[in-house]
């Protein structure tokens, strides 16, 4: 079967050509234990014809079918350029548990990529501050790698990242790689002291002060649990950052990913097509969503 | 414009049955209830039957539909996938104008946004729409308030109007024209249009006496809803009356929400089921840790009415989402079918 | 036409339902507009019957346990095994017990009863929710001369005055709830008597929110006030004062003290007097109360019956007194004689480790939690018959596949005695059989010839054996929407009597150490511990979503109490009962419960196994059961 045959007949000529309805099969090439209950799955398409069509933007997501269990929404951590296709998933329920039980060589279904994605071209020349807590680093990874691939186009690139313990920190080898990039500033913290840990201890919001986060000509990407999110926002606003320059992603139950099922509706917005990336200003006007 | 006898109409239905799945109004003998359903080989559409009790969307967007079938061999790590939604071409024979308007809403929603819904498209692509002008209203109807009837003005392939001595057939598309040309139907004189207008007028005149259940001056309520001027207490009273059955969404010709679930059959084979859903359910948007953006039921109710009646939403359908069929009022165990909610809101406005 | 009319089998309302079916699968659902009770409406369960009927969790073939595992078997093999093994037991000596299903058709129920008595020779027979319903039936028989509803559900649509005692009918029987709400809107006075502020209470004209355990007292006080008015006005048309039990009743009512009433129930007598004025003026009165698994206690039902008789309006063509059943054919299974006999309780036998019980025959067991599990596991033979896979299969030695309600012809008798016929409209997956066929096959193998060829013939036998059904046939029932069984078949019908009452002022069993009165009941979608609904998609999601917020379940307390305890919504607390059982559970802060009371929906698993199990009467006392508890912040 050729790509065009079983992929959406309705694919519009938008330059992007997502897999809309009928899942494409991917192979699990490799599985990596990222942290307790979090694994990274490296994937490749069985049908090579799909590959050139499958173009992603950072901040987008896919709908992933675990055969026999169901489908779930998952962020795309790879950079749009020169990166390996993978997803990082925490097991929290029926489908994600089933995914965690799979071995390399098992197959998954994939639809997407969907969603608006993070801004990239429009923020060139600015400083970028990434603030992540726990698995909040997953959706940010793509943007971080992409920005570092284009290091010269940006001002300061700062990562503030925290997790409960050292073992819960994701993408540790990646972070070591990123540190090698000239001018990449990273501040990593864990909640409580533990033996063998020489880095920072404390909560992520405290790092903002420490990193002397700029506010002029700066965008902040913030992803993490609600408590952290709210504290970080409060600090950034206090420092004078504009609500439009704070960017985050929302998560909602998703069933279709293409703006039809309405499960992800919040007020007038659909997270799957209008989001998942929103500015804090937008999030605020949506009401109590975080 | 053509003039056909009842016999011609029946012949057309029979002929189409050879190549298409033909759906039309039928009366259930036991209960007298009307359904718009697949016609068996010997059956003909009952063009005099009342407005169908269930919306015609059942054919294009069924309550429950298998969209994918797959089986996974865990041992061999192999998967086979099968598309389930390929469909035979359909004819919807004898659509009421309000149901046609419902299909237009669904078309614009499923086919007209950023993405096209392939499953809906598969049903819709080869379908032929034949409408039937209403010569009388039924108790529940209020299409005159929503501008969706009693006659259809666009969107059909063929449109039928019963006149004293036959059916006036108007053509609304190339597909319809092709059918007319192929049969060499007898053209109708211009005066027939006036006859049709008289039929429609007579129907409209009967609304005050006949269509008593619902009166909903949609446009006034739309203004209030869009601008958020409806008092919280009104929503609360509306919310209290919701028994969370989902019926209003299931019977509404323009409601489109669905749920998707993978269901295992015996053995390794699994089906992806798409079932209709309703924003009135509290589990609809719920996620872990109380992340429910529409927790109180009054907010969820408000979502449906917003969807049907706000200008913002109407832009998606290019018309208000309510097409005046009155079905939600009929099936609601509370008293909050859309026409009544409009009444509540209007009553509040006038007070 | 793919739409086939039938009767929804998911609760005792008996709504008219169309199933859209291609003959092999159920594709959708539609309501029947002309049905006199449901009038084109269905609740969330009825609307999703297609999901249930499409589940793959079906029993599709007879099964026999061999080496600890169930294997497929032929019907003959399974039947022979059952006959042989049960033949070794002495039914007359209470060695064989039968647990029937209140969802089975009358035909199945009748055949099962015959199997029990004629073939197994046992008296040990019962239905899951019988205790509550038997109370209702006994009380109604005493008061009105027959065991069934007085009047019918359509009277809600015309009555002047409607009283709902207990149940949140908007949740348990939503379509009746909808009709009640409609009555209220057309101007009927709708009065709720319930200790929590239920949705039905919110939709009522008047809500009496009494303290738990005092419903009977409040009803008696209302009777007192009504009687006082009637005495003054001399306004009555029947000879109420000549009815048996009148003097005792009235004398007892006279003793009610308004101070003690208010102390015990929290309701002022003046308020009740005002209500009595309105009740007095009503020409027609409808009273509804829950019956079955979460039914009321005997004293409350008797107080209801007495009040109904005293109103002197029960012979009005728009009046009614209806025990609202939660399960579809609870009334029918009672009519078929399935709810056991005094002194022969299958539940008693199961609970008693020294009972002679050796074998158990179970049909379509509903509870998610199986009580007396060890005792059942230790029995020599357990037979399970059902359409859907069920935890009971783990205990069974032989399993028979049954048809689902739309896969065979059968009649069902809903809450108001309306007998309705459902015709087969879809094939059974696999080898499922209607229950009566399985039972007949067993009887035949054991040497009895019943000779039924179809369900209509079974029904003929029913009309011969059961007087109230004497004038019904499948043929008659096929037209229209059912027929109420004939009350005049009971010789005493129409002769009203009062129950003997005792007035006491229940003191809250709470004390300083255990200051909360814990009530146990149902949550919104938690119908019958939700065994069937768990096999659907959307209703299951609705069920689960509460557990998302309260994964350990919840106990509802009011905001004032939450403040006193210094706890917030979703915080975990320790709940300790006066007998020492305890559990960890989240609090749900809700203005719908009264200060000093706490409410738990009883679907929560460990609540029953760890906590409630010691309170046997918590089940039998139903909504009125109160357990004194202490709530402590974790
Ligand atoms: C745009 C987007 C991107 C996401 N990216 C990732 C990712 O990169 N890595 C990752 O591990 N997870 C991600 N998620 C969350 C992931 O989709 C859910 O964890 C998953 O759907 C749970 O499915 P389940 O069947 O395993 O759990 P279920 O058994 O369905 O539920 C388990 C728990 O997870 C909650 N849940 C269900 N669906 C969602 C959801 N869509 N979002 C949040 N919580 C949910 C449920 O309420 C429940 O408490 C993302 C979600 C969205 C919407
Ligand atoms: S909102 Fe109600 S009346 Fe309007 S189209 Fe939908 S079902 Fe019909
Ligand atoms: S039909 Fe009525 S009760 Fe049912 S969900 Fe809709 S508004 Fe609520
Ligand atoms: S109220 Fe009862 S009978 Fe009616 S639809 Fe709901 S479950 Fe079925
Ligand atoms: S996931 Fe279906 S509309 Fe967003």
């Amino acid at each position: 079967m050729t790509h065009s045959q079983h992929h959406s007949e309705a694919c519009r000529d938008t330059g992007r050509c997502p897999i809309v309805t009928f899942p494409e099969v991917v192979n699990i090439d490799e599985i990596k234990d990222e942290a307790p209950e979090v694994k990274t799955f490296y994937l490749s398409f069985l049908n090579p014809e799909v590959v050139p069509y499958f173009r992603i933007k950072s901040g987008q997501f896919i709908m992933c079918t675990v055969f026999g269990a169901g489908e779930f929404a998952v962020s795309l951590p790879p950079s749009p350029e020169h990166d390996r296709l993978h997803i990082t998933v925490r097991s929290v329920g029926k489908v994600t548990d089933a995914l965690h039980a799979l071995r390399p060589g098992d197959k998954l279904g994939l639809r997407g990529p969907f969603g608006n994605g993070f801004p990239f071209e429009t923020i060139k020349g600015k400083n970028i501050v990434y603030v992540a807590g726990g698995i909040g680093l997953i959706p940010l990874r793509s943007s971080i790698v992409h920005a570092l691939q284009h290091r010269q186009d940006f001002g300061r690139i700062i990562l503030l990242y925290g997790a409960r313990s050292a073992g819960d920190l994701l993408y540790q080898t990646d972070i070591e790689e990123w540190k090698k990039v000239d001018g990449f500033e990273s501040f990593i913290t864990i909640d409580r002291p533990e033996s063998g840990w020489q880095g920072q201890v404390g909560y992520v919001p405290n790092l903002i002060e420490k990193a002397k986060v700029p506010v002029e000509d700066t965008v902040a990407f913030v992803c993490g649990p609600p408590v952290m999110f709210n504290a970080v926002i409060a600090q950034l606003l206090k420092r004078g950052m504009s609500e439009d320059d704070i960017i985050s992603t929302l998560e909602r139950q998703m069933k279709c990913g293409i703006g039809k099922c309405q499960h992800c509706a919040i007020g007038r917005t659909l997270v799957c097509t209008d989001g998942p990336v929103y500015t804090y200003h937008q999030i605020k006007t949506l009401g109590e969503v975080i | 414009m053509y003039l056909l006898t009842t016999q011609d109409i029946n012949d057309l239905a029979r002929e189409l049955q050879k190549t298409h799945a033909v759906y039309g109004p039928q009366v259930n003998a036991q209960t007298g209830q009307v359904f718009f359903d697949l016609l068996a080989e010997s059956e003909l559409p009952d063009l005099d039957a009342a407005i169908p009790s269930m919306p015609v969307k059942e054919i294009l967007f069924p309550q429950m539909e298998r969209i994918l079938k797959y089986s996974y061999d865990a041992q061999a790590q192999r998967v086979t996938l099968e598309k389930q939604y390929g469909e035979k071409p359909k004819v919807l024979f004898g659509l009421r104008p309000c149901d046609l308007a419902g299909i237009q809403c669904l078309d614009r929603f499923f086919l007209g946004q950023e993405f096209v819904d392939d499953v809906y498209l598969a049903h819709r692509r080869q379908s032929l729409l034949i409408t039937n002008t209403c010569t009388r209203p039924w108790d529940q109807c209020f299409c005159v308030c929503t501008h969706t009837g009693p006659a259809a003005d666009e969107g059909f392939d063929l449109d039928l109007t019963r006149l004293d001595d036959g059916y006036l057939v108007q053509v609304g598309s190339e597909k319809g024209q092709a059918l007319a040309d192929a049969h060499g139907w007898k053209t109708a004189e211009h005066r027939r249009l006036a006859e049709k207008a008289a039929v429609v007028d007579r129907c409209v005149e009967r609304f005050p006496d006949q269509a008593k259940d619902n009166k909903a001056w949609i446009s006034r309520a739309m203004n209030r809803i869009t601008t958020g001027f409806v008092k919280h207490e009104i929503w609360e009273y509306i919310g209290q009356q919701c028994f969370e059955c989902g019926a209003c969404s299931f019977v509404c010709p323009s409601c489109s929400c669905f749920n998707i679930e993978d269901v295992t059959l015996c053995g390794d084979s699994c089906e992806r089921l798409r079932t209709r859903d309703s924003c009135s359910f509290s589990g609809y948007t719920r996620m872990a840790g109380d992340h429910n953006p529409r927790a109180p039921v009054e907010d969820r109710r408000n979502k449906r009415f917003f969807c049907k009646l706000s200008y913002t939403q109407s832009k998606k359908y290019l018309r208000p989402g309510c097409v005046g069929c009155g079905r939600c009022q009929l099936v609601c165990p509370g008293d909050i079918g859309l026409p009544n909610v409009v009444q509540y809101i209007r009553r509040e406005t006038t007070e | 036409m793919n739409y086939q009319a039938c009767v929804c089998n998911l609760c005792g309302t008996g709504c008219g339902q169309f199933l859209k079916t291609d003959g092999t699968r159920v594709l959708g659902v539609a309501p029947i507009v002309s049905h006199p009770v449901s009038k084109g409406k269905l609740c969330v369960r009825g609307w999703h019957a297609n999901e249930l009927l499409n589940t793959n969790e079906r029993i599709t073939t007879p099964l026999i346990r061999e080496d600890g595992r169930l294997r497929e078997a032929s019907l003959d093999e399974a039947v022979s095994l059952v006959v042989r093994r049960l033949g070794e037991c002495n039914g007359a000596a209470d060695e064989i017990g039968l647990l029937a299903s209140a969802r089975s058709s009358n035909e199945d129920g009748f055949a099962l009863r015959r199997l029990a008595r004629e073939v197994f020779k046992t008296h040990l027979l019962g239905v899951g929710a019988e205790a509550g319903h038997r109370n209702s039936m006994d009380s109604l028989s005493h008061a009105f001369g027959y065991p069934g509803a007085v009047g019918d559900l359509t009277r809600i649509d015309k009555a002047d005055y409607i009283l709902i005692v207990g149940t949140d009918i908007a949740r348990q029987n939503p379509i009746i709830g909808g009709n009640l709400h409609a009555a209220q809107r057309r101007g009927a006075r709708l009065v709720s008597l319930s200790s929590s502020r239920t949705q039905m209470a919110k939709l009522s004209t008047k809500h009496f929110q009494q303290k738990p355990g005092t419903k009977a007292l409040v009803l008696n006080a209302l009777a007192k006030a009504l009687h006082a008015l009637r005495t003054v006005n001399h306004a009555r048309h029947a000879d109420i004062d000549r009815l048996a039990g009148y003097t005792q009743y009235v004398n007892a009512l006279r003793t009610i003290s308004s101070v003690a009433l208010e102390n015990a129930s929290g309701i002022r007598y003046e308020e009740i007097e005002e209500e009595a004025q309105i009740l007095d003026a009503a020409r027609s009165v409808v009273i509804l109360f829950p019956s079955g698994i979460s039914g009321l206690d005997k004293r409350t039902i008797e107080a209801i019956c007495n009040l109904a008789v005293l109103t002197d309006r029960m012979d009005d063509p728009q009046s009614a007194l209806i025990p609202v059943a939660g399960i579809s054919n609870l009334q029918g299974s009672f009519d078929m004689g399935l709810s056991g006999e005094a002194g022969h309780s299958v539940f008693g036998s199961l609970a008693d480790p020294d009972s002679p019980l050796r074998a158990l025959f179970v049909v379509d067991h509903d509870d998610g939690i199986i009580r007396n599990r060890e005792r059942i596991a230790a029995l020599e033979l357990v037979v399970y018959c059902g359409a859907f896979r069920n935890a009971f299969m783990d205990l069974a030695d032989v399993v028979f596949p049954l048809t689902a309600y739309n896969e065979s012809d059968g009649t069902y008798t809903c809450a108001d005695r309306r007998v309705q016929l459902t015709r087969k409209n879809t094939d059974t997956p696999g080898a499922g059989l209607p229950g009566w066929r399985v039972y007949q096959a067993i009887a035949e193998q054991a040497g009895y010839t019943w000779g039924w060829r179809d369900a209509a013939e079974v029904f003929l036998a029913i009309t011969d054996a059961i007087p109230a059904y004497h004038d019904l046939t499948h043929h008659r029932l096929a037209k229209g929407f059912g027929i109420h069984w004939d009350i005049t078949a009971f010789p005493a019908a129409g002769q009203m009597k009062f129950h003997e009452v005792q007035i006491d002022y229940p003191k809250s069993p709470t004390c300083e150490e255990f200051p909360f009165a814990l009530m146990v009941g149902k949550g919104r979608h938690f119908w019958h511990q939700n065994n069937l609904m768990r096999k659907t998609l959307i209703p299951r999601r609705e069920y689960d979503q509460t557990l998302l917020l309260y994964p350990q379940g919840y106990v509802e307390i009011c905001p004032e109490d939450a403040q006193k305890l210094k706890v917030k919504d979703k915080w975990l607390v320790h709940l300790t009962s006066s007998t020492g059982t305890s559990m960890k559970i989240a609090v749900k802060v809700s203005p719908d419960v009264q200060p000093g009371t706490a409410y738990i929906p009883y679907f929560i698993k460990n609540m029953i196994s760890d906590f409630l199990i010691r309170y046997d009467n918590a089940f039998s006392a139903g909504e009125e059961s109160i357990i004194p508890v202490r709530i402590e912040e974790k």
Side-chain angles (χ1 to χ4, degrees), chain C residues 196 209 515-519 550 553-575 585-601 629-633:
Chain C
S196 8
Q209 190 169 15
F516 281 93
L518 179 76
M519 297 175 288
Y550 305 95
Y554 63 82
V555 54
E556 225 170 300
I557 56 173
C558 72
E560 295 91 317
D561 284 336
Q563 205 164 26
K564 274 191 226 147
L565 291 167
K566 300 199 171 58
V567 295
K568 291 200 173 137
D569 197 52
K570 294 189 198 64
W571 285 18
L572 284 184
V573 290
H574 267 297
L575 204 66
I585 194 164
V587 287
K588 178 174 174 188
V589 181
S590 151
D592 297 344
V593 294
Q594 305 180 50
T597 66
Y599 180 85
I600 296 191
V629 296
R630 181 170 68 225
I631 300 177
E632 289 154 311
E633 200 200 328

Side-chain angles (χ1 to χ4, degrees), chain B residues 66 241 244 264 277 286, chain C residues 25 56 181 524 541 545:
Chain B
R66 295 161 179 82
Q241 297 186 53
E244 298 184 53
T264 317
D277 208 335
R286 182 92 79 191
Chain C
R25 291 183 96 156
N56 63 326
H181 175 46
R524 166 148 280 188
R541 178 191 73 197
Q545 60 92 17

Side-chain angles (χ1 to χ4, degrees), chain B residues 209-222:
Chain B
D209 294 331
Q210 183 69 46
K212 283 200 188 127
D213 285 2
N214 303 308
K215 304 235 173 329
W217 295 108
I218 297 290
S219 48
R220 285 290 289 283
M222 278 185 81

Side-chain angles (χ1 to χ4, degrees), chain B residues 287-338:
Chain B
M287 304 196 323
D290 206 7
H291 270 22
N292 196 348
R294 283 198 292 277
V297 70
E298 54 266 26
D299 289 4
R300 294 198 298 279
R301 299 301 344 104
N302 156 336
K303 149 90 169 106
R304 176 161 188 270
F305 302 118
F306 197 87
C307 192
K308 295 292 157 234
L309 293 175
S310 71
Y311 293 129
T312 358
Q313 196 69 23
S314 302
K315 276 194 236 149
K316 288 193 184 168
Y317 304 133
L318 305 178
R319 56 154 292 110
C322 176
V323 299
C325 72
R327 291 186 181 104
C328 57
Q329 183 66 30
L330 212 59
V331 296
C332 180
D335 186 35
I336 46 170
L338 184 128

Side-chain angles (χ1 to χ4, degrees), chain B residues 26-28 30-31 33 35-38 43 53-54 58 62-64 66 237 239-247 250-251 259 261 263-266 271 273 275-278 281-284 286-292 329-335 344, chain C residues 1-5 18 20 25-34 39-44 47-48 50-51 54 56 170-171 174-175 177-179 181-182 184-185 199-200 202-203 389 478 480-481 524-525 537-538 540-542 545-546 548-549 569-570:
Chain B
Q26 300 166 58
V27 183
N28 176 276
Q30 191 186 343
T31 58
Q33 197 163 324
F35 288 97
F36 202 98
D37 200 9
L38 187 65
E43 279 172 311
S53 60
M54 295 290 279
E58 176 64 25
Q63 189 174 0
M64 183 174 207
R66 295 161 179 82
Y237 178 59
Q240 247 165 37
Q241 297 186 53
C242 180
F243 290 67
E244 298 184 53
C245 66
F250 300 158
V251 301
N259 186 40
E261 206 93 25
V263 184
T264 317
L265 297 172
C266 310
E271 288 178 335
L273 281 188
T275 58
R276 280 190 216 143
D277 208 335
S278 169
F281 291 133
S282 51
Y284 182 63
R286 182 92 79 191
M287 304 196 323
D290 206 7
H291 270 22
N292 196 348
Q329 183 66 30
L330 212 59
V331 296
C332 180
D335 186 35
Y344 285 139
Chain C
M1 170 83 66
N2 289 322
Y3 287 87
Q4 306 289 334
F18 274 109
K20 182 186 179 192
R25 291 183 96 156
V26 176
L27 307 166
V29 173
I32 298 182
V33 174
S34 45
K39 304 186 193 81
K41 302 162 207 311
L42 295 170
C43 79
V44 65
W47 270 108
H48 293 93
N50 60 326
E51 295 182 353
N54 268 290
N56 63 326
R171 295 177 180 199
I175 299 309
N179 289 348
H181 175 46
Q184 196 271 339
R185 293 194 319 270
Q199 184 181 11
M200 202 65 243
K202 287 177 193 163
L203 292 173
R389 277 190 234 152
F481 301 100
R524 166 148 280 188
H525 295 288
L537 305 176
I538 301 252
R540 184 188 62 204
R541 178 191 73 197
E542 294 303 300
Q545 60 92 17
T546 312
L548 279 184
L549 296 187
D569 197 52
K570 294 189 198 64

Side-chain angles (χ1 to χ4, degrees), chain C residues 164 166 189-210 267 271 275 591-594:
Chain C
I164 310 154
R189 185 167 177 90
L190 188 63
V191 180
S192 277
L193 174 64
S194 62
S195 41
S196 8
R197 195 149 168 75
T198 59
Q199 184 181 11
M200 202 65 243
K202 287 177 193 163
L203 292 173
S204 296
T205 330
K206 169 85 190 166
H207 176 204
F208 286 99
Q209 190 169 15
Q210 93 294 353
I267 294 179
E271 222 181 320
E275 194 58 44
D592 297 344
V593 294
Q594 305 180 50

